[in-house]
Amino acid sequence: MAPGSLTVLLNTCRQVRETLQEAITSIRLPSSSTNQLVNCQLLARGHWPNLQHLSLMHLHLDTESVMELVAADWPKLHCLNMSGGTLEAAALLPLISNKWSQMRSLDMSRCSVSSAMLAVFASCKWKFLQHINLADTQLDADAVAVLVKAEWPALLSLNISHNPLQPPFSAYIANACWPLLTALDLSMPPGFRLDTTAVAELLKAEWPQLECLRLHSALEPSTALSLASGSWRQLKALHLCNNRLGAGALAQLVRASWPLLERLTLSANNLDAEAVGHLAKSNFQSLTDLDLSNNNLDAVAMQELASGSFYHQLNSLQLSCNDLNAFAIAKFVRADWSGLQSLHLVGSHLGASAIEQLVRGDFGSLLCLDLSMNRLDTPALEQLIRNSWPKLQTLNLACSHMNVDGISQLVKGKWASLQSLVLAGNNLDSLALQQLVKGTWPQLQRLDLSHNCISTAHLASLGNGNELLVRLGENCFDPPVSLFGRHWSYLQAVILSNCQS
């Protein structure tokens, strides 16, 4: 339900009002309102028998407003979002009273949560609670000690990232009785890291169902060996961004026995060819999603990656923000990438010679190709269309220094399956649009032309006399769409934000 709709709805006739209220399952109170108490009164006194999701984001909830909310009868409410707001301590107890016994998800991220407030949380007998987000709430070790006393037998995910946590918080977390926990986020803010002792304490936890672990900016290279000894046999996703691990630490990490690991994120870890060599020899037989972006990968690293034992099983590969020249791409495409579905090469200093090497690769199953923030001039696009890209659905060429000549080359490609085309930030004008509409885009559903030099006058001049169906922002239409003087049978969204008016 959109903000500002409560008053209108409650003033409609009774029959219509009751019909609409029974259909509403989600409500978000506006954070910009000058009278939040009135909004809380209107919300609480309305009849919302099927309300399941309530968002109170960025609100200052005083005791009076909270008392209005807790008087409401919402037997099906199971998701409460209070992120980014402020809450008086005296108002917390009534707000999270046991009256909402079906509570499954609670988000208080970016709030200030004290130990006393957490004690109130821990006292709630929410036997169905599954998800808690307490990221960036200024939690300390004492607060964590209180939190782990909670009896939430159904808890599946806990996010306490970006908090100034210091020992012995890890020992407290490890002693929590959450046997069904599947996702844990312990990413750290700047200046805080987990040492070897803290990681060793975490490894003592009994989380037999743990599937996803996030430790962004949390590790020292020396802790990699301890982490690798973890017996999380169900682990499927491990996110280790911005830990500066290096080759030595990765050599230790790949010794881990995680037979079900599917997703490994290693961006910004100071990895080089030696590190990739260790990774290529790992025994992660279930790995399908690998992120190596923002590292120090070069041609030698690409050769190591292409000679690895798991490249044939990857579905998604991120190599963005590495300095990959034509020689590096030539090494990369030597592998059989016929099973790869998503490839990201954002900001990798690719030019025409690198694209010439890229199109020589076997990417018969590729669905998504992101080449944004590279220098894709006309010769580069001439090379790009040499590959037929038979299954490609998403092509991102944003901020790639394209011009009208480049567009004239792009439209010559065979884009039979393309559904989403991103051309944002390329300084395109009406001449480029005139070239764009000459292409064959039989399946195109989303066209992003934002942050270009396109004006509404340009669009009107390209029409065929029908009512203009494009306005600033994102627009969804029922096909077929008349745009730029032609029909786009499946076009659903055109994005023109930040263009010239």
Side-chain angles (χ1 to χ4, degrees):
M1 185 175 185
S5 303
L6 282 175
T7 304
V8 175
L9 177 59
L10 295 176
N11 286 333
T12 58
C13 68
R14 178 179 178 181
Q15 184 176 1
V16 173
R17 181 177 69 245
E18 290 181 352
T19 300
L20 290 174
Q21 286 178 319
E22 289 182 0
I24 290 173
T25 60
S26 178
I27 294 178
R28 175 172 63 90
L29 287 189
S31 58
S32 59
S33 175
T34 57
N35 197 336
Q36 292 180 174
L37 177 59
V38 172
N39 279 338
C40 289
Q41 290 173 340
L42 290 172
L43 176 64
R45 296 174 188 179
H47 179 59
W48 320 99
N50 294 308
L51 183 64
Q52 299 176 21
H53 304 267
L54 177 60
S55 176
L56 306 175
M57 295 174 59
H58 307 295
L59 296 181
H60 172 70
L61 296 175
D62 55 23
T63 303
E64 190 174 4
S65 298
V66 168
M67 294 311 295
E68 290 288 343
L69 292 176
V70 298
D73 183 17
W74 300 322
K76 296 184 180 180
L77 185 69
H78 62 73
C79 179
L80 179 61
N81 187 342
M82 296 186 291
S83 61
T86 56
L87 184 67
E88 296 179 359
L92 183 61
L93 182 57
L95 182 63
I96 61 173
S97 63
N98 292 337
K99 188 174 182 179
W100 295 339
S101 58
Q102 301 299 314
M103 190 64 64
R104 286 173 169 77
S105 177
L106 178 65
D107 189 343
M108 290 195 67
S109 58
R110 302 185 305 281
C111 297
S112 181
V113 180
S114 64
S115 297
M117 296 174 74
L118 277 178
V120 177
F121 277 120
S123 67
C124 293
K125 305 299 182 181
W126 287 332
K127 60 181 180 180
F128 299 111
L129 190 65
Q130 297 178 343
H131 310 284
I132 301 179
N133 188 347
L134 294 170
D136 194 14
T137 52
Q138 298 303 307
L139 295 186
D140 57 16
D142 292 337
V144 173
V146 174
L147 178 67
V148 298
K149 296 178 181 179
E151 296 180 8
W152 299 324
L155 190 66
L156 298 178
S157 70
L158 174 65
N159 185 346
I160 55 173
S161 63
H162 300 94
N163 284 298
L165 298 174
Q166 293 181 328
F169 95 92
S170 55
Y172 297 149
I173 286 289
N175 289 326
C177 185
W178 298 322
L180 301 182
L181 191 69
T182 60
L184 178 64
D185 192 337
L186 294 177
S187 302
M188 292 291 177
F192 291 84
R193 297 274 174 170
L194 298 178
D195 58 18
T196 304
T197 301
V199 173
E201 291 290 348
L202 287 176
L203 296 178
K204 297 178 182 179
E206 295 185 5
W207 299 323
Q209 305 300 321
L210 190 67
E211 296 180 358
C212 179
L213 179 61
R214 294 180 183 271
L215 293 169
H216 296 179
S217 305
L219 299 179
E220 298 287 353
S222 59
T223 60
L225 180 59
S226 298
L227 184 65
S229 64
S231 58
W232 299 315
R233 301 289 294 178
Q234 300 299 315
L235 194 66
K236 295 181 179 180
L238 180 61
H239 302 271
L240 301 176
C241 299
N242 197 33
N243 283 300
R244 316 299 293 177
L245 294 179
L250 201 61
Q252 303 294 333
L253 190 65
V254 296
R255 297 180 182 179
S257 178
W258 298 321
L260 301 182
L261 189 67
E262 299 174 354
R263 185 176 184 184
L264 180 59
T265 304
L266 293 169
S267 61
N269 270 291
N270 198 31
L271 304 183
D272 55 12
E274 182 184 356
V276 175
H278 293 311
L279 181 63
K281 298 173 185 177
S282 66
N283 191 33
F284 298 146
Q285 64 266 29
S286 299
L287 192 66
T288 59
D289 188 336
L290 178 62
D291 185 349
L292 295 175
S293 58
N294 198 18
N295 282 294
N296 302 320
L297 306 188
D298 55 12
V300 180
M302 292 298 96
Q303 182 174 355
E304 293 285 356
L305 181 63
S307 62
S309 59
F310 59 76
Y311 66 81
H312 62 279
Q313 67 197 41
L314 291 179
N315 291 331
S316 177
L317 178 61
Q318 298 214 27
L319 297 173
S320 301
C321 301
N322 286 290
D323 193 1
L324 303 177
N325 55 23
F327 188 47
I329 296 297
K331 297 290 186 181
F332 170 68
V333 298
R334 289 182 179 179
D336 178 8
W337 298 106
S338 58
L340 194 67
Q341 297 180 7
S342 180
L343 176 61
H344 299 262
L345 293 165
V346 180
S348 296
H349 302 95
L350 304 183
S353 56
I355 298 298
E356 181 182 3
Q357 297 298 325
L358 182 66
V359 298
R360 295 178 180 178
D362 184 0
F363 299 109
S365 299
L366 199 66
L367 302 177
C368 175
L369 177 61
D370 193 343
L371 297 174
S372 58
M373 300 182 67
N374 287 291
R375 186 167 290 277
L376 303 181
D377 53 14
T378 302
L381 291 169
E382 288 177 352
Q383 296 297 330
L384 182 64
I385 63 174
R386 288 177 53 197
N387 193 313
S388 61
W389 309 106
K391 296 184 179 181
L392 194 67
Q393 298 178 3
T394 300
L395 177 62
N396 192 335
L397 302 175
C399 304
S400 295
H401 303 274
M402 297 175 64
N403 55 25
V404 61
D405 293 332
I407 295 294
S408 66
Q409 291 298 323
L410 183 67
V411 299
K412 295 177 182 179
K414 299 177 181 179
W415 309 110
S417 301
L418 196 67
Q419 299 177 9
S420 177
L421 176 61
V422 183
L423 299 173
N426 278 297
N427 203 32
L428 302 179
D429 56 15
S430 60
L431 295 178
L433 288 182
Q434 290 173 353
Q435 293 297 321
L436 184 63
V437 299
K438 295 178 181 179
T440 302
W441 319 96
Q443 302 294 327
L444 194 64
Q445 298 179 16
R446 183 178 183 270
L447 176 62
D448 189 341
L449 296 170
S450 58
H451 301 279
N452 282 294
C453 297
I454 303 168
S455 71
T456 52
H458 290 153
L459 296 174
S461 67
L462 293 171
N464 60 355
N466 295 334
E467 181 181 357
L468 190 63
L469 296 178
V470 181
R471 62 183 185 275
L472 296 181
E474 183 167 336
N475 308 272
C476 295
F477 313 110
D478 292 326
V481 172
S482 178
L483 178 64
F484 311 145
R486 57 163 290 181
H487 277 56
W488 307 66
S489 299
Y490 296 97
L491 193 65
Q492 297 178 0
V494 179
I495 303 175
L496 294 165
S497 57
N498 234 35
C499 294
Q500 295 179 355
S501 59

